[in-house]
């Protein structure tokens, strides 16, 4: 496992962040030269900061690739296209690979297998996109230090432990030794929009690690809709937690609907606060908000007949369920 350099001090101020940016710009230019770089742009905090760093360092040599693997949150692909292509005028390639990913994940229950399938398929998609470009030798990723730490004995992240051994790209990972709070300071210093810098984190495998067990399209869609409700209601609070989302596991229980037996899945709400994602405390969601989420989910989302609340800290639980 790679260790964070002892010379890298915690980044808490814009002055420290600017020093880091200046160093990384030079490092990227030295590593890449005149070659092109493909960036896995999810639209999340980490990949957005990497995009800004690469754009500052190599400009038009950067090709941003946004892959819709069918595991994104509601409205997310449209939002990424709007922000990066239409507003920021980035060189963005959009790839809809929904069927490809879901077909490969069909029947797969083990979370490690799911992560590695998603990781390998991502690399396959990038390899295909690279063939359409000239001079691409590098793959940029928004890997951060907690990804590396958790990939040793906990779970494989799609951009660390999930990478196949025969990777044909050389990696460019400028923020891989930073914690999430440090990435946000760097993003602020780079001038990225506040709503992008402080957007809640979203795992690389997306809803694939929140649709617990073997993924089915109907349960995945129920998860997507329930998750949108959770986020919409929690964002109305005065103090919004660091991360908040929904999980729908592959279990069913008996319910009642229209005076008939109604088998459905549970929607599980999770919200946490943390500074570095290494440890986390469960966020105390007001009961009024919990009740509103409950009522909306069971009324608006087909297939869900129970709403539960996960208020376990990390450790012993990880933030994500898989």
């Amino acid at each position: 496992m790679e260790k964070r350099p002892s010379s890298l001090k915690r980044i808490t101020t814009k002055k420290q962040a600017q020093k880091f940016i200046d160093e990384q710009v030079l490092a990227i230019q030295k590593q890449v030269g005149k070659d092109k770089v493909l960036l896995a742009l999810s639209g999340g905090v980490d990949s957005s900061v990497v995009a800004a760093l690469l754009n500052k360092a190599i400009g038009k040599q950067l090709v941003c690739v946004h892959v819709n693997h069918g595991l994104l949150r509601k409205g997310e692909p449209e939002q990424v296209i709007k922000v990066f292509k239409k507003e920021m005028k980035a060189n963005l390639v959009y790839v809809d690979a929904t069927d490809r990913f879901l077909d490969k994940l069909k029947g797969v229950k083990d979370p490690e297998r799911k992560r590695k399938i998603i990781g390998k398929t991502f690399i396959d998609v990038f390899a295909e996109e690279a063939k359409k470009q000239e001079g691409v030798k590098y793959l940029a990723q928004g890997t951060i230090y907690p990804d590396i730490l958790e990939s040793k004995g906990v779970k494989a992240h799609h951009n660390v432990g999930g990478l196949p051994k025969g990777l044909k790209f050389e990696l460019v990972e400028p923020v891989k030794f930073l914690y999430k709070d440090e990435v946000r300071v760097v993003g602020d210093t780079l001038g990225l929009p506040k709503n992008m810098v402080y957007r809640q984190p979203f795992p690389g495998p997306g809803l694939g690690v929140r649709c617990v067990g073997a993924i089915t399209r109907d349960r995945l869609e129920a998860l997507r809709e329930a998750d949108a409700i959770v986020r919409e209601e929690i964002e109305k609070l005065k103090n919004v937690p660091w991360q908040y989302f929904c999980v729908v596991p592959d279990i069913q229980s008996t319910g009642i609907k229209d005076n008939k037996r109604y088998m459905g899945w549970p929607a599980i709400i999770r919200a946490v606060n943390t500074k570095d994602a290494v440890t986390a405390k469960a966020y105390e969601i007001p009961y009024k908000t919990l009740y509103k989420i409950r009522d909306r989910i069971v009324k608006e989302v087909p297939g869900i007949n129970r709403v539960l609340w996960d208020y376990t800290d990390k450790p012993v639980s990880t933030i994500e369920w898989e």
Side-chain angles (χ1 to χ4, degrees):
M1 182 186 72
E2 293 182 275
K3 292 185 178 180
R4 180 177 165 119
S6 58
S7 59
L8 179 58
K9 306 303 180 184
R10 287 282 291 171
I11 298 174
T12 59
T13 68
K14 286 195 172 184
K15 183 177 179 180
Q16 292 170 323
Q18 188 59 57
K19 181 176 182 292
F20 174 82
I21 291 167
D22 293 341
E23 291 172 347
Q24 287 304 311
V25 165
L26 292 174
I28 291 167
Q29 290 172 341
K30 182 179 179 180
Q31 179 185 5
V32 172
K34 296 182 179 180
D35 293 313
K36 287 185 179 180
V37 179
L38 280 180
L39 169 65
L41 179 57
S42 67
V45 180
D46 305 326
S47 65
S48 296
V49 170
V50 170
L53 270 173
L54 285 166
N55 188 58
K56 187 177 181 67
I58 60 174
K60 293 182 179 180
Q61 292 169 241
L62 172 64
V63 180
C64 298
V65 179
H66 177 57
V67 178
N68 181 0
H69 49 24
L71 304 169
L72 296 172
R73 290 172 288 198
K74 187 175 181 178
E76 202 150 34
E78 295 82 359
Q79 183 184 40
V80 169
I81 292 170
K82 179 177 180 291
V83 171
F84 288 95
K85 190 169 187 176
K86 296 183 179 179
E87 295 179 6
M88 298 182 67
K89 308 301 180 183
N91 183 9
L92 177 67
V93 176
Y94 173 71
V95 182
D96 187 350
T98 298
D99 290 340
R100 182 169 175 176
F101 276 83
L102 296 186
D103 287 347
K104 288 181 178 292
L105 290 166
K106 188 175 181 180
V108 178
K109 296 181 180 180
D110 180 72
E112 287 297 274
R113 279 194 64 206
K114 285 163 68 173
R115 286 177 176 273
K116 291 185 177 182
I117 287 170
I118 293 169
K120 184 181 184 307
T121 307
F122 254 112
I123 298 304
D124 291 343
V125 171
F126 285 127
E128 292 167 9
E129 291 305 317
K131 290 178 182 178
K132 301 175 186 178
Q133 307 286 333
E134 292 184 3
V136 173
K137 293 184 179 179
Y138 298 89
L139 172 66
Q141 296 188 139
T143 306
I144 63 174
Y145 201 46
D147 295 340
I148 296 174
L149 292 175
E150 286 195 346
S151 289
K152 182 176 175 60
V154 182
K155 54 188 175 184
H157 287 259
H158 85 286
N159 53 355
V160 184
L163 290 176
K165 294 180 180 179
L167 182 66
K168 296 180 181 179
F169 297 110
E170 183 176 337
L171 295 181
V172 178
E173 299 175 307
V175 298
K176 70 178 180 179
F177 292 122
L178 300 190
Y179 291 99
K180 181 68 72 173
D181 59 318
E182 296 178 297
V183 174
R184 295 191 196 278
V185 179
V186 171
D188 247 344
T189 307
L190 283 165
L192 289 172
K194 293 285 185 182
N195 63 348
M196 184 179 296
V197 173
Y198 293 98
R199 181 186 184 191
Q200 65 164 315
F202 189 55
L207 297 180
V209 293
R210 297 176 182 174
C211 193
V212 181
I215 299 170
T216 59
R217 293 182 185 242
D218 55 352
R219 188 159 54 90
L220 177 61
E221 193 54 38
L223 167 60
R224 201 183 327 270
E225 294 296 326
D227 180 75
I229 291 171
V230 169
R231 290 185 290 114
E232 182 181 335
E233 294 301 329
I234 288 182
E235 284 165 10
K236 294 176 182 177
L237 297 174
K238 184 177 180 180
N239 297 311
V240 177
W242 186 81
Q243 190 173 12
Y244 42 99
F245 56 89
C246 187
V247 175
V248 177
D250 187 17
I251 57 174
Q252 286 190 312
S253 63
T254 304
I256 301 172
K257 187 174 184 179
D258 299 327
N259 294 318
K260 296 179 181 179
R261 178 185 174 93
Y262 173 40
M263 299 300 293
W265 306 293
I268 303 170
I269 304 165
R270 182 132 171 85
V272 299
N273 273 327
T274 180
K275 287 186 176 181
D276 55 17
V278 176
T279 62
K281 290 289 184 181
Y283 174 81
E284 189 173 337
I285 304 171
Y287 278 105
K288 184 178 180 180
T289 300
L290 283 172
Y291 293 154
K292 182 67 179 294
I293 291 171
R294 175 201 64 189
D295 293 344
R296 285 195 60 192
I297 288 178
V298 296
K299 181 181 179 180
E300 299 175 26
V301 184
I304 292 180
N305 66 0
R306 294 180 190 272
V307 178
L308 312 176
W309 176 26
D310 173 4
Y311 55 96
T312 318
D313 294 339
K314 175 185 180 179
V316 61
S317 297
T318 53
I319 295 175
E320 298 291 342
W321 270 49
E322 289 189 337

